[in-house]
Amino acid sequence: MLNPLTNDFVEKLSAMLPDKALRLATPADVEEPRGRYIGLGTHVATPSTVEEVSKIITACNAARIGVIPFGGGTGLVGGQVAPQGPLPLILSLERMTQIRATYPQENVLIAEAGAILANVQSAAQAVDRLFPLSLASEGSCRIGGNLATNAGGLNVLRYGNTRDLCLGLEVVLPSGQIWNGLTRLRKDNTGFDLRNLMIGSEGALGVITAAALKLYPRPAENCTGVFVVEDPTAALALLNLAQTIAPSEVSAFELIHKTGLEFLSEKLPDVRQPFENKPEWMVLIDLGTAKGRDPDALLERLFEEGHAAGLISDGAIAQNEAQRRQFWEVRERIPQANKAIGSIVSHDVSLPLGSIAAFVIEGLARLAKLGDMRVNCFGHLGDGNLHFNAFPARGRDRHEYDAIRDDIQRCVHDLVSEMGGSISAEHGIGRLKAKDLAHYGDPGKLAAMRAIKTALDPNGIMNPGAVIGNLHA
């Protein structure tokens, strides 16, 4: 059983740490972006070194006090807040923000876990390299949180998830011991892969304090196009054609539905949309090419061949960087418009590519039987990740659907499970989906996860209640 954080413990911890390493919690430390949870927390530890993190975790483990690791606070599944249980200590990485080293010839950068993603991108750019992780929250999310949730984003199709962008980690384990796994090696076959165990564990197995990240050569040229397609089936056929015409050069392939465009017009009319008449479906394609390869010509060829094959009915190719940013702004601000509308329930799911078209058709049909609602289906089609979000019908409030909210989520997740997909593509499990994981997860996998949690964190102090629930309740 965990013990609550007490004033006596806070005083002891304060005496162990330097000035500024402990502060009172603010609303930003206990709230999550969608307003689904208000967490517990009166004090926040703000270490500036891995040794200070080790002292904090060692003390909390000895006193059996829960620890909630906190990065940028941008997570969407409640992994960074604890709304119930004994009062925990919040541990923020906000002061561990250093770029420790860059090795451009090795294509490696070493960053502390509190480094903001945009600053990691800038540090890579400063040595003429690319760190390709790109998220809507990149101006405030932190790389430790990105790793802890195995964040996805816009460039997974070409570069992979955050897991694929990491070579090594520095981690403080639940005992307080420091694992010095900050290797720059690309081959290290020395036993169990603790790096991949920690990535995606959402702070339930330890605190990531630094990472060795993969960098890439910057594309010599980039170009973006938006093409109108009839439906997701045509979009997938166009993706295959794009990867034939420009193998290894398609950085992003995003599916956008008319509902998202309507939400932009309704809530963010300043966003300039590429088509006067909103299409039912469109895709955004981004190419990044090496020197000597013309991305504009490749997109023009894609349009011509796609149109001839009946896959594209209209399109536009960015003529300059300003127009390219306008196209991307449409995609990047859809989540902001969604938030302004107010969803009934959001779904971050992934499916086999061949099942996506059938999922969309069947999903819309099943939700229509539950009630009158709007569905905004959009996302990273190239890697099978859809955001299939339900919104109130025009003129209605989302709280009118509270009685069927769980039914809507179960309807979508049941269909995802039937089609061999995942109920969490890129947002993680957190607390929001812990029960869903228990319901849909493979029993063997869940048993192994519980065994690993018990072995590494026998007192259950690390992010209690997240991912697999509270084993020590």
Side-chain angles (χ1 to χ4, degrees), residues 369-429:
K369 293 178 182 178
L370 292 177
D372 182 19
M373 68 190 81
R374 292 177 287 178
V375 177
N376 188 10
C377 174
F378 68 103
H380 318 303
L381 185 68
D383 56 54
N385 177 192
L386 293 181
H387 301 296
F388 198 76
N389 302 344
F391 294 84
R394 190 179 298 275
R396 298 184 65 183
D397 184 84
R398 69 177 183 173
H399 296 295
E400 296 178 43
Y401 298 80
D402 285 348
I404 62 169
R405 184 176 181 276
D406 290 344
D407 295 331
I408 294 171
Q409 187 168 66
R410 180 58 59 89
C411 174
V412 172
H413 285 173
D414 281 351
L415 181 59
V416 169
S417 181
E418 290 170 22
M419 292 189 166
S422 169
I423 60 167
S424 179
E426 63 177 356
H427 292 165
I429 296 296

Side-chain angles (χ1 to χ4, degrees), residues 295-317:
D296 298 67
L298 293 172
L299 283 180
E300 289 171 5
R301 178 183 166 192
L302 178 62
F303 177 81
E304 292 169 359
E305 294 190 19
H307 187 270
L311 303 177
I312 301 173
S313 59
D314 197 2
I317 297 172

Side-chain angles (χ1 to χ4, degrees), residues 215 240 257 291 314 350:
L215 304 181
N240 287 330
H257 186 249
K291 187 176 181 179
D314 197 2
S350 64

Side-chain angles (χ1 to χ4, degrees), residues 227-384:
F227 299 141
V228 175
V229 295
E230 182 176 356
D231 52 29
T233 299
L236 285 166
L238 186 63
L239 170 62
N240 287 330
L241 180 59
Q243 291 178 318
T244 299
I245 291 173
S248 303
E249 294 171 309
V250 181
S251 298
F253 194 97
E254 299 289 308
L255 181 69
I256 300 172
H257 186 249
K258 185 178 182 179
T259 300
L261 302 177
E262 291 173 341
F263 286 178
L264 287 172
S265 293
E266 184 176 342
K267 296 297 183 180
L268 301 171
D270 58 307
V271 175
R272 186 174 179 179
Q273 299 192 28
F275 302 106
E276 184 175 352
N277 296 318
K278 295 178 176 60
E280 188 70 18
W281 295 97
M282 75 177 198
V283 296
L284 181 151
I285 306 174
D286 193 87
L287 299 184
T289 61
K291 187 176 181 179
R293 294 273 288 175
D294 184 351
D296 298 67
L298 293 172
L299 283 180
E300 289 171 5
R301 178 183 166 192
L302 178 62
F303 177 81
E304 292 169 359
E305 294 190 19
H307 187 270
L311 303 177
I312 301 173
S313 59
D314 197 2
I317 297 172
Q319 298 303 300
N320 49 53
E321 183 60 24
Q323 191 174 40
R324 180 171 178 262
R325 290 310 311 160
Q326 286 178 1
F327 289 172
W328 268 111
E329 186 180 25
V330 172
R331 169 60 183 89
E332 291 173 344
R333 297 190 72 183
I334 286 176
Q336 186 181 348
N338 285 347
K339 186 175 181 179
I341 295 288
S343 70
I344 304 167
V345 60
S346 300
H347 307 98
D348 162 47
V349 301
S350 64
L351 295 133
L353 292 182
S355 301
I356 286 177
F359 168 82
V360 172
I361 294 170
E362 182 64 17
L364 292 174
R366 291 190 187 186
L367 289 186
K369 293 178 182 178
L370 292 177
D372 182 19
M373 68 190 81
R374 292 177 287 178
V375 177
N376 188 10
C377 174
F378 68 103
H380 318 303
L381 185 68
D383 56 54

